[in-house]
Amino acid sequence: MKRTSPHFRTLIQQLYEPASLWEKLRGSRDDAAILSEIGDSTEPAAIVDVLPFVLASKPDVAAAAATSVHKLVLKATAQELVWLDCLLRRSSSYSGDSLYEWHNLRPDQLDLLERFGEASVSLVGIASFHQNGYVREAAIKRLDLITSGAELPFLILRLNDWVSNVRDAAYGTIRSRLRPEYARHFIANLALVSRLDEAGRADHKALIQAINELLQGDECRNVLLESLTSDDRLIRRVSFRLALNSKKSDLPEIVRHALNAQDTVIRLWAAQTVSSAFAGATLDLFLELMKRDRFMPVRREALRMAVKRNSPTSLAELRSALLDSHPAMREEARYHLRKLDPMDVAAFYRQSLSTAEGQTLYSVISGLGETGSAEDDPLIVPYTSHLVSKIRAAAIRALARLHGETHTDVFIDALKDEVPHVSRQALKALTDRASSLSGERIWKLFHLAKHAHVRRNALSLIEKLGKWESIHYLVRAVCDSDEDITAMSRFGIQRWLARFNRSFLSPTPEQLAQLNNALKECGDQLYNETMEQLQFSMKGFN
C-alpha cells in the first residue's frame, strides 16, 4: 500500500503529540477536526494511525475517528484491505506502538464499535483483522447481523484465516448470502473472491463455484451484464468470463461485445469461445471480426478455426497469413501449409517483393528473412535505406538472420539512423559480431554522432568489444558532458571489473598504455575505489 503523504503524516504526528498546557487552557487543539481532514483524504494507509482514536474517551474525538476510518475503508481497494488485514494481525501489543488499546480489545467489547451508526460496519470489519482470534470470530458473528453488503469484503477475507473456527464461521456467513439479492455485492468483491483461488489454508473451490453459479443464474443475469462495463478491469474480466461460460441464449451478443472490447484478454477469451459455441453464418461473422483484430492471438484463433473447418478458402487464408505483420502468425501459416499444401515459402516472398508496399512490404521482407538464404541478400539490402523506418528495421533484421557477417558496414551505417528503433536493430545485429569490429571506428562514431540514442548504442557496442580493448574507451566516456553517458560508462566499468576474472587474456603493451592515458585524462571523474581497482587490474602486466 502507498504510504501516507507528508502532509497527512504531519497531521498524524500532531494527533500523537501531547497537548501543551497552553493548548489545554485555550482549547485550541482540535483533534476531531484533524481526524475529519484525514478521513476526507484518499489515503487508506492512514487507517492504522486513526484507529486507536476510535477508543478515545472524548466522544467527539471517537466519533470523528470512527467516521474517518469508515470513509477511508470505503475508498480502500481490495489490495489495500488485504494489506491492512496482514498489518493489523501481525502487530503486537508488546511492540510499544500506538495500537496498544486496540490490541487489548476483548470480544465482549465490540459494542464499543457499534455505537457509531453507519460507520460501525467498517469498525467491526476492521475488528475482524484483530490479532486475537476470539475477537475475529466475535466480529464475524456481529458482521453476520449486517445485510447491507458492506460486511461482505471482511467476511471473504476471513475465509482464509489460519484459525479453523474463524474460517468455519466466515464460511457459514458467506453460504447464507448466496442469494440473488447479494449478486451485486459479490460482483463488487470479485477481486477478493479471485484471491481465494490462491489461498492455501483451505480448499475454496466449491464455494467459488457456488458464487459463480449464482452470478451465472437467470435471476442475476441483468446484474452480471451490467458489470461488463464496470470501470474496474478485474470485475470486467471476471464478469465476461462468467458470461462467456454460461452458454445462455444471449451468448452471441456477449461475444460480439467482448470482441469489440478494448481489453485484449477479453477479446481472446471471446475468440476461444467462438470455435466451440457457434457454426454457420454466425461463426463466419465472428471470424471476420477476429481476422481484423489488432491482437495477434485473436487473429491466430481465427486462422486455426479456418484450418479446422477445412473450408475451401482455408489455403487462401493461410497464404494471406504469410503476409501478416506478426512473426507468430507467419510461422503459424507456414506450419499448416507444410502439412496441407507444401510450397516454397521463400520463393513466395521473393515473388511478392516486387509488388509489395506499405505494411505488406514489411511482412514480405520479414518473411524472407525468416525463410530465405544468403543468396537473398541483394534483394534486401536496398531496403536498408528505405524512406519508412519500419522497413529499414525489417531489412536490417532480415540481413542479420540470413548472412550478417558480410554486412557489417550496412549495420554500422544503420546504427547512425535518426530513428531509435532502427539504430537499436542495428545494435542487435552488431552485438554478436562485436569481436570483429574496430574499437577505434566505433569510438569515432560515438564522438561524431548527432543523436543521443546513437551515442548510447555506440557505447553499448564498445562494451561488447574485447576485454582489454573496451576498457580504455569506457574510462574516456566518463569525461563526457552528457550525464546519461557518464552514468552508463561508470556502470560499464563496474561490470567490466565484476567480470575481470572470467577470462585470462593478457593486454598488449599498447592496450595498457591506452588505459593508463585514459586514467590520466578522466581518472578524476571515477570513484576512488574504482580507480584503485583498475590500477590493481593492470598491476600484474606492467
Side-chain angles (χ1 to χ4, degrees):
M1 181 188 285
K2 184 179 177 181
R3 292 185 61 196
T4 50
S5 64
H7 171 64
F8 286 99
R9 285 201 295 274
T10 300
L11 292 179
I12 290 167
Q13 186 177 1
Q14 290 177 18
L15 286 173
Y16 282 96
E17 287 177 353
S20 65
L21 178 60
W22 182 250
E23 287 175 328
K24 291 178 180 177
L25 291 173
R26 293 190 60 190
S28 58
R29 169 81 168 262
D30 192 348
D31 288 347
I34 295 175
L35 288 164
S36 295
E37 183 177 353
I38 294 172
D40 290 333
S41 74
T42 56
E43 305 188 29
I47 291 174
V48 177
D49 299 296
V50 172
L51 192 56
F53 292 92
V54 173
L55 302 175
S57 57
K58 292 184 177 180
D60 61 327
V61 172
T67 302
S68 179
V69 168
H70 181 56
K71 288 181 178 180
L72 293 171
V73 165
L74 293 178
K75 297 169 188 172
T77 64
Q79 191 59 42
E80 287 167 338
L81 286 178
V82 172
W83 175 87
L84 190 63
D85 175 35
C86 293
L87 180 66
L88 290 175
R89 285 189 290 103
R90 291 174 182 174
S91 300
S92 169
S93 59
Y94 299 102
S95 60
D97 61 17
S98 58
L99 290 171
Y100 181 81
E101 293 295 335
W102 178 263
H103 283 304
N104 289 329
L105 190 70
R106 299 191 308 272
D108 59 359
Q109 293 179 309
L110 291 185
D111 57 333
L112 294 174
L113 308 177
E114 295 180 322
R115 53 194 171 120
F116 299 108
E118 186 182 354
S120 298
V121 61
S122 294
L123 296 174
V124 177
I126 295 296
S128 72
F129 299 166
H130 201 275
Q131 183 193 26
N132 187 321
Y134 293 107
V135 174
R136 296 198 302 276
E137 186 176 8
I140 289 172
K141 293 177 180 177
R142 304 277 182 127
L143 289 170
D144 192 24
L145 302 176
I146 301 170
T147 56
S148 65
E151 78 286 0
L152 196 55
F154 306 106
L155 297 175
I156 294 173
L157 281 171
R158 291 280 60 79
L159 286 171
N160 200 42
D161 199 282
W162 68 94
V163 177
S164 59
N165 289 351
V166 178
R167 286 199 305 271
D168 293 343
Y171 180 81
T173 60
I174 296 291
R175 291 293 303 187
S176 68
R177 284 164 170 74
L178 292 176
R179 307 188 303 271
E181 57 267 29
Y182 254 81
R184 226 175 272 280
H185 304 308
F186 277 112
I187 285 175
N189 290 284
L190 281 174
L192 294 176
V193 174
S194 298
R195 286 185 74 252
L196 296 175
D197 272 330
E198 303 171 4
R201 296 191 179 99
D203 186 354
H204 302 291
K205 291 180 181 178
L207 181 59
I208 294 172
Q209 181 61 30
I211 294 172
N212 290 344
E213 289 175 358
L214 169 70
L215 299 179
Q216 289 174 317
D218 292 335
E219 293 178 278
C220 303
R221 192 67 178 175
N222 289 336
V223 177
L224 181 62
L225 295 181
E226 288 174 14
S227 66
L228 300 182
T229 57
S230 170
D231 293 333
D232 187 294
R233 184 177 66 175
L234 187 143
I235 290 176
R236 283 199 313 274
R237 285 185 175 181
V238 177
S239 299
F240 264 110
R241 176 71 102 180
L242 293 173
L244 290 168
N245 291 338
S246 61
K247 309 299 182 185
K248 299 289 184 179
S249 59
D250 58 356
L251 184 58
E253 186 59 32
I254 300 296
V255 170
R256 185 178 289 105
H257 186 182
L259 287 175
N260 289 315
Q262 293 294 320
D263 193 324
T264 56
V265 173
I266 292 173
R267 298 209 303 274
L268 180 57
W269 287 343
Q272 292 167 342
T273 301
V274 166
S275 62
S276 60
F278 302 105
T282 305
L283 177 58
D284 292 335
L285 174 64
F286 288 141
L287 284 178
E288 287 303 314
L289 286 175
M290 292 163 60
K291 290 174 190 176
R292 298 193 298 267
D293 199 281
R294 300 187 309 275
F295 191 44
M296 182 279 296
V298 174
R299 298 199 303 276
R300 186 168 58 189
E301 283 293 321
L303 186 63
R304 288 173 177 173
M305 276 184 261
V307 173
K308 187 176 180 180
R309 293 173 73 194
N310 197 25
S311 65
T313 61
S314 59
L315 288 178
E317 290 182 22
L318 286 170
R319 292 192 183 96
S320 177
L322 289 174
L323 301 176
D324 194 276
S325 60
H326 201 287
M329 278 292 289
R330 297 192 294 271
E331 177 55 37
E332 184 81 16
R334 292 195 291 268
Y335 168 77
H336 292 295
L337 283 170
R338 282 194 292 270
K339 296 190 297 182
L340 300 177
D341 185 27
M343 60 180 286
D344 187 344
V345 179
F348 169 82
Y349 285 126
R350 293 186 200 107
Q351 185 178 0
S352 304
L353 194 58
S354 59
T355 58
E357 57 184 22
Q359 182 61 56
T360 303
L361 178 59
Y362 169 82
S363 302
V364 168
I365 293 173
S366 299
L368 188 56
E370 293 158 1
T371 61
S373 62
E375 285 71 26
D376 295 315
D377 285 11
L379 297 174
I380 297 174
V381 168
Y383 293 100
T384 60
S385 56
H386 197 274
L387 291 176
V388 178
S389 62
K390 189 175 182 180
I391 301 298
R392 297 199 298 274
I396 293 163
R397 184 168 53 248
L399 287 177
R401 284 185 175 186
L402 295 179
H403 200 200
E405 295 76 10
T406 62
H407 298 290
T408 301
D409 291 343
V410 173
F411 297 150
I412 287 181
D413 284 340
L415 194 71
K416 306 173 191 175
D417 200 284
E418 63 182 3
V419 178
H421 172 64
V422 179
S423 180
R424 187 165 57 252
Q425 198 62 56
L427 173 63
K428 291 179 181 178
L430 289 167
T431 295
D432 294 336
R433 303 166 181 88
S435 58
S436 63
L437 300 176
S438 163
E440 192 59 36
R441 184 181 185 184
I442 304 304
W443 180 250
K444 184 178 180 181
L445 188 156
F446 169 81
H447 261 297
L448 297 179
K450 299 177 181 178
H451 305 287
H453 67 268
V454 176
R455 302 184 77 231
R456 289 193 297 270
N457 289 340
L459 190 58
S460 292
L461 196 56
I462 284 171
E463 195 179 345
K464 305 296 187 301
L465 298 173
K467 177 177 178 179
W468 290 101
E469 186 175 6
S470 64
I471 185 61
H472 72 94
Y473 293 122
L474 291 174
V475 172
R476 285 178 181 169
V478 174
C479 290
D480 199 272
S481 59
D482 187 329
E483 292 183 2
D484 290 338
I485 293 293
T486 300
M488 189 176 171
S489 57
R490 284 200 180 103
F491 185 76
I493 293 169
Q494 290 301 319
R495 190 152 46 190
W496 186 90
L497 290 168
R499 298 172 178 174
F500 183 79
N501 288 325
R502 293 187 183 182
S503 71
F504 300 99
L505 291 174
S506 297
T508 65
E510 182 184 2
Q511 288 171 336
L512 283 176
Q514 289 172 329
L515 180 53
N516 270 315
N517 291 335
L519 289 174
K520 288 177 183 178
E521 293 174 15
C522 300
D524 59 338
Q525 300 296 318
L526 296 171
Y527 300 118
N528 291 336
E529 182 182 359
T530 303
M531 185 72 171
E532 291 171 2
Q533 288 176 315
L534 287 171
Q535 290 173 336
F536 182 79
S537 69
M538 296 186 293
K539 202 169 185 179
F541 303 105
N542 288 323

